[in-house]
Amino acid sequence: MFQKILIANRGEIAVRIIRACRDLHIKSVAIYARADRDSLHVKMADESYEISDDPLRGYLDADLIVEVALKAEVDAIHPGYGFLSENAHFAKKVQEAGITWIGPDSQTIAKMGDKNAAREIMQKNGIPIVPGTEPLNKHSTQEIAKIAQKIGYPVILKASSGGGGRGIRVVEKQEDLIESFNACKREAMAFFKNDDVFMEKYIVNPRHIEFQILADNYGNVIHLLERDCSIQRRHQKLIEIAPSPLISDDLRRRMGATAKAAAKAAQYTNAGTVEFLLDENNTFYFMEMNTRIQVEHGVTEEITGYDLIGRQIRIAQGEILDLTQHDIRPQGFAIEARINAEDVANDFVPNPGKITTYYPALGPFVRVDSCIYKDYVIPPFYDSMIAKLIVKASSYNLAVNKLSRALSEFTIKGVKTTIPFLMNICNDKDFRRGHFDTSYIESKIEELMPQTESKPEDDVVSVIAAALSARYGA
């Protein structure tokens, strides 16, 4: 049994992991950059270590994190998501230091992190993949143009080591191909230190469906149903739904079986996600495998009743998976809305600053995963997501109603947020009917934009929040 776990991350996922550790009576160790010294994860952890005065360097320094882990005498490291969570080099260093890595083996991370290697593994094992290529960097511009013509426009260029919506370019016509290829290479090198780029057939307006996987160290693999992540802006997810409101039981069974086969082909252990593109004819294609916990894991927890972070820790400790596929049954619908500190009217530019009022939504089957609090100052150095609002109900329609209600009560003042934009999505008839794909935001952006923002003096919830703050200091 682990006695102490270091969380190699920050923000809401670090808070989430600390809570899972507490549930299992395991001590937690936080690391933080100086800019994060007032962060909630630092306050909550049993031990905390400042690792850098630079806001980013410490979270990305594998050697430094391992050094702190050894100093703190931890048994294991949980990487969360982002930063070094899918870095095979970091995982290997952790394992070589005699510390347990809470995630898949470093070799698996390396294989699945290379999009081309992952495609090859899946293709060899009969997993359907989108028609595409090996890295194109050694090809001439004329050869790249011929390959694109053979695949057929539109095509999509992707960084081999990409993720999080970075290193992606959709090309509609030949005259834009080489410029897009060079731009994709530059972005790939800037974000991933690897400028390998490959090309795929671009599936027009698909649904983005992902299956949550759990696999122990003894060959047992299950999926915990799917999440529909089609509501995206610039390849960044905004809303996730579990299960998908428009997938039939038969399609769910087939996709789930394929997801498990993909995990077995990768010799996968711990928690991971197999991502698919689903076209208008219900034909699905393997897109990638994420070798970490996902931001949106909470909706899966809500519909299955299983703690995924807790399961990650228990699998890493060597426990045999005590679940079978027969045990996994959806219990209603759950929806997650990512709340970002962004100025929607100004092209969603990040809007860091001091939280002057914080009143999270409450009520039955409403969950908030967050790292902010009243008077917390959001640093300008990190991702703009500041909270995840998760609701659950017996039907998709009721879940949308609950999400709309919860968003209307959720009050954050001092910074601009995406809450009004998310409320408009809830009120859209196509979203309510489940009629959406990855083009949804782009096609409806003008009608979804908030027209006016409510004034604090007209906001009933703000008045309630102010009264509570004055009385309880919260």
Side-chain angles (χ1 to χ4, degrees), residues 384-400:
S384 58
M385 189 182 74
I386 54 175
K388 301 184 308 191
L389 173 61
I390 304 170
V391 301
K392 179 188 173 185
S394 58
S395 69
Y396 175 66
N397 184 60
L398 288 175
V400 175

Side-chain angles (χ1 to χ4, degrees), residues 48-67:
S48 299
Y49 294 84
E50 182 178 319
I51 54 170
S52 177
D53 57 2
D54 181 280
L56 289 172
R57 187 182 71 84
Y59 295 117
L60 298 171
D61 191 326
D63 291 324
L64 183 57
I65 295 172
V66 170
E67 180 183 325

Side-chain angles (χ1 to χ4, degrees), residues 8 54 61 79 103 109 128 132 135 150 163 173 195 199 234 239 247 266 281 299 309 345 347 389 391 421 423 472:
D54 181 280
D61 191 326
I109 295 175
K150 184 177 180 180
K173 51 188 185 298
D195 68 352
M199 183 191 302
R234 296 178 181 173
I239 291 176
I247 284 185
N281 299 314
V299 290
I309 304 292
D347 197 29
L389 173 61
V391 301
F421 185 75
M423 290 179 64
Y472 299 109

Side-chain angles (χ1 to χ4, degrees), residues 317-391:
Q317 288 180 154
E319 284 193 19
I320 297 175
L321 194 63
D322 61 349
L323 302 172
T324 67
Q325 198 60 58
H326 181 74
D327 296 319
I328 309 302
R329 294 287 183 271
Q331 302 165 16
F333 285 80
I335 308 177
E336 173 183 284
R338 302 189 188 191
I339 297 174
N340 297 338
E342 294 175 353
D343 184 353
V344 175
N346 189 21
D347 197 29
F348 294 83
V349 67
N351 191 235
K354 183 177 181 179
I355 303 292
T356 57
T357 298
Y358 180 58
Y359 184 79
L362 301 171
F365 303 105
V366 176
R367 164 179 166 180
V368 175
D369 286 8
S370 180
C371 62
I372 65 172
Y373 53 87
K374 183 180 179 294
D375 294 330
Y376 174 67
V377 178
I378 302 169
F381 314 109
Y382 309 109
D383 186 89
S384 58
M385 189 182 74
I386 54 175
K388 301 184 308 191
L389 173 61
I390 304 170
V391 301

Side-chain angles (χ1 to χ4, degrees), residues 66 70 74-76 92-101:
V66 170
L70 291 171
V74 305
D75 305 296
K92 186 177 180 181
K93 277 189 171 294
V94 170
Q95 293 167 332
E96 288 176 344
I99 300 169
T100 300
W101 171 260

Side-chain angles (χ1 to χ4, degrees), residues 74-88:
V74 305
D75 305 296
I77 290 179
H78 196 305
Y81 56 71
F83 292 125
L84 296 176
S85 62
E86 293 181 284
N87 187 296

